[in-house]
Every structure is written in C-alpha cells, then in structure tokens.
Amino acid sequence: MGECAWQKLAASCEDALLLPERLAQKLHTEKLPAYLPDLARLERACWRVKSRIIAVPENVQQLMLNPSLELLHLSWKLSSALKLKADSSPAKPQAGEEWVLIWRNPQDEVQHKQATQDDLLAIKLVAEGIDVKDAARANQVPVGVIDKAVYQALQKGILLSPATRIRRDPRTYKAEKPPADKFLAAPVFAIQWHITNACDLACKHCYDRSQPSPLQFDAALKVLDDLYDFCKTRSVRGQVTFTGGNPFLYPRFSELYRAAADYGFSLSILGNPTPRKQLEALLSIQNPRFFQVSLEGLGEHNDEIRGAGHYERVMNFLPLLKELGIFASVMLTLTKDNIDQVLPLADELQGVADSFTFNRLSQVGEGAGLELPDKAAYTAFLAAYTKAARQNPLLYYKDNLFNILRHQMNEPLLSGCTGYGCGAAFNFIAILPDGKAHACRKFPSPIGNVISQKIAEVYDSAAANKYRTGCNACRGCVIRHVCGGCMAIAHSFRQDIFTEKDPYCFMNNLSQ
C-alpha cells in the first residue's frame, strides 16, 4: 500500500477487526491491489484462531474436528502466494476461488493451508458423523481411499483422534521409574498372516510341515474386514505381513493382496525369491513396506539348510528388489552351526540388501533337530555384532537381549523385537492358514481362532493377556519395557515361559 496510504487507512478504521471491510470500500478510490481485502480476512482469521481461548485437547474420546478450526472462503488464491520462493520473494496472488483452513495444532502453532478435496471430505465425514465404510460404498471407492483422507487430516492436526488403545498395563512393571509412554502404547497393530503352509522349499529348521487347508478367499476377506474394524475401535493403523510357507502359492494371492491394500493397510511380505512379473503385479497395487527373504549363512551352509542353489537365487533376487524400489530385508535363523557366519554374511550383503538381522532358532517342528549356541558363545556374539553394526549399516537389531549390553554401556535402549520388547499378543498376532491365532509364530502359543471369533475377542482373551504380560521373572527389570527376553527360546528349553526368564538373559541385577 505504501506507508502514507496505510497510515491514512489505519486512522480511519476504528476497529482493526473491520479492516477487511474497510479495505474493500477503499479499493477503487485508493487504487489498492484487489486481493488486499482477502489477505486481511486471512490475517484476521489467523489472529482469531491464535487468540481465541479454545484449548486444543491432547486427549479425546472419539474422532473429532479440531475445535480451533476455521474454514475461510476467498476470491483470491493466497495460500500459495504466502509461501516464499527460494529467493524469499512472495509470489503474486492469482484471482480465483479458494477455500483455506486455519487451525491451531497441539503444539499451539497457528497453521493455514489451501483446503484440498481430501481435507474437505475428512471434515465432512466427522462433522456429519458419516461412517467411513458407508462413504466408501456411496462413492464406490475402496474404504482405504476414504481412510487415507482422514489419516492425512489427523497428521496435520485438522482432526483429532483418541490415543491408541493398544496399550500395556503399566502395573505389569515393577521398576521404580515408569517407562516412557512410547514403549507402552503402539500406534500400529499387525497380523503376521501365514496364508498357506505350501512352500517350494523344505528347510531343515521349518517350524511347521503340516498342511492345513487354507482359508477360502471369502473367509480371508472377512478376516481383513474384521481387522479393519478392530483397528478402528483401538485407534491404530493396520498392518498385514503376508507369509507362509510361500504366500505366492496361495491360490488367489494377488487378489487378497489387493483387498488388503483397498482397506488401507500397510503391507509386507516374508517369502522366497519370486519372478519379476509377480513382483510387478504387486507393485501395480501397492508397494510393500519390505520384502523379507531368508539366508542361513554363507553359500554351502545355507544350501544345506534350505536346498541346493537357494543362496544363489537369493543373491540374484535381492538386486531385483532394489531395482524395483522394494526394501530388501534378509533374516537369518541363528544356530550353533551358523553363528560364526553371521558377520561374514553381513559383509557379503552390503550393497545388495537394505537390512540384515537374525532370530534365534526356536526348537519346534523340524527345528528341534538343530542346536542353539551356548550362553557364553551367544553373549560374546552379541558384543561382536554390536561392534560390527557400527561399521555396517546393514545390521539391524532385533533380539531383545541387545538391550542388556546397551544398558550396561549406558547407551540409548533400542525398541526390541517388535518395537515394544516382546510384542507377542501385544502389537501383533500370528494367524495360521486355518485361522488359528497364536501370540507368536515361533512356538505354540494359541490364543483363539479368527474364523470362529472376532479379532477383538482373540486379543482380549485371557490367553492373549497372559502372553503379552510375559514372564513374571522379568517384571522388576529396569529394561523390561524393551526386552522381556524371548518366550520361544524359553519354550525350546522346556521352561515355564510365564515364570522362568529367557535362559540366555545375562542381566545380573534386574533393578539396576
């Protein structure tokens, strides 16, 4: 406007809140830029949102609109003009209708942005109490499309959601200092779904060689629908990890994968090397978070466990995953016979895979015929692995017992096996081909059946609660929230998994 024109206008405006209207009156007489009244309206709305005494609650009981939210209709496109270019000069506003959202986020910062169709859809759903599934049916789109709009609005703070209801009972921890909430509350719930036991391998440590009839496709769809409802009622995001056997041997795998994607679930695969064509078919639906394959050591030892030629097939498959933009993960089952091959294999995988980690052998099924290393050898291995991981970014930490070392060295604790120490029946469950649910796939841990029961019934069962509460011997440990040992290993040693801790635990004083 220029200083002179501004001072004159300010002097004639008794109430600053009436500035937009006064600017509109002065547009022609003062030859002002036509967008100034809208700019003043936007500034007034931002001021109103900032100064209004409306608390943005941190905890809500149901999905709701941010109470500070304002929706402003403008005749000029100002939101992009207010974003500075690289040279810090503002873009010139363009004439044209625009809806702008203004709100205060939970950090008490005023935000504003152009309202997208997805933003308006999410606001309409919540304001009018429209069910997401009903909206999806009415618009003939997958429920995940509608859910994505809601989730993005939540991420921006336009909508507010109840805190996750996948939460550990803090009373199960006897440590003096309660663990941080991030270790007790999971924002994501996953199913590890063994959709078939059919497999093109015959590994010597296979946990289950039985061949139960896999779920019919329609029954599998009902599991996905039930998972969606469970995640909604618990205020979490859903994740499905497809595995087997080899999940690609399920008769209608690509259709089931698409159905899971349509629900908006994050998807992952634990499988065997797969032809490019099958991978590209999945990518046309949704990129998996990761594709995990297994190696049991260097070439000769791996092929002894998994079959001749397997090592070469995996090493040829990993570059294909990376070429297609799929996160390539490698898992090893640790035994007495391959413990010395882990770090050399990690060196071989650098530049070929994106991550490499291990699980200790669970001596069930065919695995009962193999041996675990002794405690001293394993403890020394954890130290060597930790040292190697400082130089090799491929090495990921999974075993909970790494946290004992880190605690002893006063280093920040890791999140443990599933992000919450042992996550068995907490932030994930395993589902077998016939619908039987287990707390963990590595050992028999039945908690129900997702065909005859709802997932909520399975999760809330006394059996599931017993597994997620874990070993009573660990309850006083200061790192219990990121450890809890491994119940599958305790089971392998024929211990009472609910009273006797992981036999490899080397925590000397639980309270320190």
Side-chain angles (χ1 to χ4, degrees):
M1 290 183 64
E3 182 66 21
C4 181
W6 168 250
Q7 292 295 343
K8 183 178 178 181
L9 178 66
S12 68
C13 192
E14 304 84 7
D15 186 345
L17 291 178
L18 298 177
L19 181 62
E21 289 73 22
R22 184 56 58 89
L23 279 168
Q25 296 170 3
K26 298 283 188 179
L27 275 182
H28 301 297
T29 59
E30 302 292 341
K31 296 183 180 180
L32 300 176
Y35 60 81
L36 278 187
D38 268 5
L39 179 58
R41 291 179 62 220
L42 178 56
E43 290 184 350
R44 179 172 63 186
C46 288
W47 176 85
R48 191 163 48 229
V49 168
K50 181 178 181 180
S51 59
R52 187 181 295 153
I53 305 175
I54 294 179
V56 178
E58 293 186 7
N59 299 305
V60 299
Q61 298 305 309
Q62 61 184 15
L63 188 65
M64 62 178 285
L65 295 177
N66 185 320
S68 69
L69 181 68
E70 285 203 16
L71 181 61
L72 186 64
H73 181 239
L74 301 175
S75 300
W76 285 83
K77 299 187 177 188
L78 294 176
S79 57
S80 58
L82 294 176
K83 296 177 182 177
L84 297 183
K85 294 181 178 180
D87 61 1
S88 296
S89 61
K92 186 176 180 180
Q94 301 295 316
E97 183 180 59
E98 180 175 68
W99 289 91
V100 177
L101 299 173
I102 307 102
W103 73 98
R104 205 166 67 239
N105 65 21
Q107 291 74 45
D108 209 35
E109 301 165 330
V110 175
Q111 310 283 304
H112 66 79
K113 69 179 292 291
Q114 180 184 18
T116 66
Q117 289 300 314
D118 281 352
D119 293 330
L120 297 174
L121 170 62
I123 291 169
K124 179 180 177 67
L125 290 174
V126 176
E128 299 182 11
I130 300 171
D131 181 77
V132 171
K133 286 184 177 179
D134 290 341
R137 281 190 289 267
N139 290 278
Q140 297 183 327
V141 297
V143 68
V145 172
I146 307 292
D147 237 12
K148 183 179 179 181
V150 173
Y151 179 69
Q152 290 175 339
L154 286 169
Q155 294 296 98
K156 297 166 189 169
I158 296 169
L159 302 181
L160 304 177
S161 173
T164 170
R165 294 187 173 99
I166 300 294
R167 184 176 295 273
R168 290 197 190 278
D169 184 349
R171 294 173 298 180
T172 61
Y173 298 91
K174 293 182 179 178
E176 291 183 9
K177 184 179 179 181
D181 193 61
K182 68 178 181 179
F183 296 118
L184 301 181
V188 175
F189 180 78
I191 60 171
Q192 186 185 88
W193 198 355
H194 298 255
I195 55 176
T196 178
N197 274 2
C199 190
D200 45 334
L201 301 176
C203 304
K204 290 185 177 180
H205 63 337
C206 181
Y207 296 149
D208 188 358
R209 289 275 179 84
S210 66
Q211 292 296 324
S213 297
L215 296 182
Q216 295 295 315
F217 184 69
D218 288 346
L221 291 181
K222 290 180 180 178
V223 172
L224 291 176
D225 191 66
D226 186 28
L227 175 63
Y228 178 85
D229 290 342
F230 175 83
C231 290
K232 285 298 158 192
T233 59
R234 306 300 164 117
S235 297
V236 293
R237 300 281 285 169
Q239 179 179 319
V240 179
T241 298
F242 289 109
T243 184
N246 183 348
F248 287 89
L249 297 180
Y250 182 79
R252 301 174 67 177
F253 177 57
S254 62
E255 294 175 75
L256 187 60
Y257 186 91
R258 180 181 295 279
D262 284 348
Y263 274 101
F265 297 135
S266 170
L267 306 177
S268 307
I269 297 174
L270 313 183
N272 302 333
T274 302
R276 172 189 283 268
K277 186 176 181 180
Q278 287 184 310
L279 292 177
E280 290 175 340
L282 295 190
L283 290 176
S284 69
I285 301 169
Q286 180 173 308
N287 200 329
R289 288 178 60 246
F290 63 84
F291 192 121
Q292 179 181 294
V293 291
S294 294
L295 286 173
E296 309 308 336
L298 299 172
E300 182 178 353
H301 179 77
N302 176 82
D303 287 2
E304 180 184 341
I305 299 296
R306 289 193 167 263
H310 177 263
Y311 183 85
E312 183 178 0
R313 288 197 299 276
V314 169
M315 295 302 284
N316 290 333
F317 180 63
L318 292 170
L320 174 61
L321 291 177
K322 291 175 73 70
E323 177 190 337
L324 295 175
I326 302 172
F327 191 91
S329 181
V330 177
M331 172 64 72
L332 175 143
T333 300
L334 189 82
T335 68
K336 177 182 178 181
D337 295 328
N338 68 5
I339 190 170
D340 293 331
Q341 297 187 35
V342 175
L343 297 182
L345 177 58
D347 290 337
E348 291 287 320
L349 290 171
Q350 282 204 69
V352 181
D354 294 304
S355 75
F356 174 51
T357 190
F358 67 90
N359 273 322
R360 283 176 281 166
L361 169 74
S362 178
Q363 293 175 304
V364 298
E366 299 297 312
L370 302 177
E371 294 184 66
L372 282 157
D374 62 36
K375 182 176 178 178
Y378 185 64
T379 305
F381 165 74
L382 291 182
Y385 187 102
T386 299
K387 182 178 179 180
R390 296 191 179 103
Q391 305 298 322
N392 187 345
L394 195 70
L395 291 171
Y396 275 38
Y397 296 97
K398 184 172 175 62
D399 195 302
N400 289 330
L401 300 191
F402 277 115
N403 277 315
I404 301 178
L405 278 180
R406 297 182 74 88
H407 174 72
Q408 292 173 346
M409 296 185 292
N410 291 316
E411 293 186 1
L413 298 177
L414 304 167
S415 57
C417 182
T418 68
Y420 305 89
C422 174
F426 173 58
N427 64 321
F428 84 96
I429 61 172
I431 300 176
L432 305 192
D434 55 3
K436 292 177 182 175
H438 286 247
C440 174
R441 183 66 181 103
K442 290 175 62 182
F443 73 110
S445 48
I447 55 175
N449 190 304
V450 298
I451 300 304
S452 57
Q453 298 170 278
K454 294 290 188 182
I455 291 176
E457 293 178 65
V458 173
Y459 188 85
D460 293 333
S461 67
N465 185 62
K466 194 172 182 181
Y467 283 106
R468 65 174 158 265
T469 300
C471 174
N472 189 58
C474 297
R475 289 182 65 174
C477 182
V478 293
I479 65 168
R480 165 68 183 90
H481 56 291
V482 289
C483 188
C486 179
M487 289 187 285
I489 300 303
H491 178 271
S492 295
F493 280 75
R494 294 173 175 77
Q495 295 180 180
D496 181 340
I497 63 172
F498 300 114
T499 62
E500 298 178 85
K501 65 181 182 179
D502 186 327
Y504 285 81
C505 175
F506 53 97
M507 191 78 167
N508 295 324
N509 190 330
L510 297 181
S511 62
Q512 296 180 0

